[in-house]
Amino acid sequence: MAFVGVFPVYKLKFKIGIKGKESTDENMAEIAELESFGLSIEGNVENWTTMDKDGWASNLMTGKSFSFDMKGKRCVGDPGNDYVAEVAMKDGLDCSTKGEIEFPDGAKMEFDCVLDVTNIGGGDSTNVAPLEFTMHGDGKPTYTPAPKL
C-alpha cells in the first residue's frame, strides 16, 4: 500500500555516498542518529534599473543554491555517520560526495554535495558526542516524484 497524508520528519531517510563522488547506489549509506535538519534554498537575484521604467527596478532569478544543516549524535561504527566524521579534517575534493533524501511517499532527491563538518565531539562529560555538518548542494538536484497511486 502506498503512503498518503502527512508524515513526521523522522520518516525521512538521509543518505551519504561513502565512496565520495564515485559512490553508486550500493555505496549510499543512511546516516545514523540524526536528530534535526534545516533546509535552506537561496536564489541569486540580479537587480537593475532602466530609464524607461520611471525608477522601478527589474529583477531576474539568475541562480539557485541549497544546503542542509544536519545535527545528530556521533555513532562510531555506522558507515554513514563514520564517513561524515572522517571528512572533518579533509579539504578540497575530499569533501565532495553524493547525498540522497528518501521521502515516506517514495519520492527521492539526489544531489552532489560538499560536506562541511563543524562538530564531531564536545560537550559536558555526561553528554553524548555530537555530529554536526552542512551538506552544500553542488549543482542542480534531481527530484524523482513518488509513484502515482
Side-chain angles (χ1 to χ4, degrees):
M1 182 173 147
F3 183 90
V4 295
V6 298
F7 56 88
V9 170
Y10 69 80
K11 291 285 189 178
L12 296 170
K13 292 182 183 178
F14 290 91
K15 295 183 178 182
I16 195 80
I18 60 174
K19 299 290 184 184
K21 296 264 295 211
E22 304 302 316
S23 296
T24 61
D25 286 345
E26 296 80 36
N27 308 125
M28 299 303 292
E30 194 168 348
I31 306 167
E33 299 296 333
L34 289 178
E35 296 177 289
S36 65
F37 77 96
L39 169 62
S40 175
I41 301 173
E42 296 182 19
N44 301 323
V45 177
E46 186 166 337
N47 172 295
W48 67 97
T49 306
T50 58
M51 291 192 199
D52 63 336
K53 294 200 177 161
D54 297 324
W56 289 93
S58 297
N59 292 281
L60 179 66
M61 182 70 65
T62 60
K64 300 288 269 189
S65 64
F66 69 96
S67 62
F68 291 95
D69 289 318
M70 314 294 282
K71 291 186 178 184
K73 299 299 183 193
R74 180 67 179 99
C75 182
V76 176
D78 172 73
N81 196 295
D82 286 347
Y83 180 83
V84 171
E86 289 166 6
V87 171
M89 298 311 224
K90 295 180 179 180
D91 64 7
L93 293 175
D94 291 336
C95 297
S96 295
T97 190
K98 295 184 178 291
E100 181 178 298
I101 301 171
E102 289 182 12
F103 298 90
D105 64 357
K108 185 189 295 189
M109 187 168 111
E110 300 170 281
F111 51 92
D112 288 342
C113 63
V114 174
L115 291 179
D116 181 10
V117 182
T118 56
N119 194 349
I120 56 171
D124 294 331
S125 64
T126 57
N127 292 145
V128 175
L131 179 66
E132 298 174 4
F133 60 99
T134 301
M135 300 168 76
H136 294 276
D138 186 16
K140 184 178 181 179
T142 302
Y143 179 77
T144 305
K148 300 281 185 199
L149 296 177

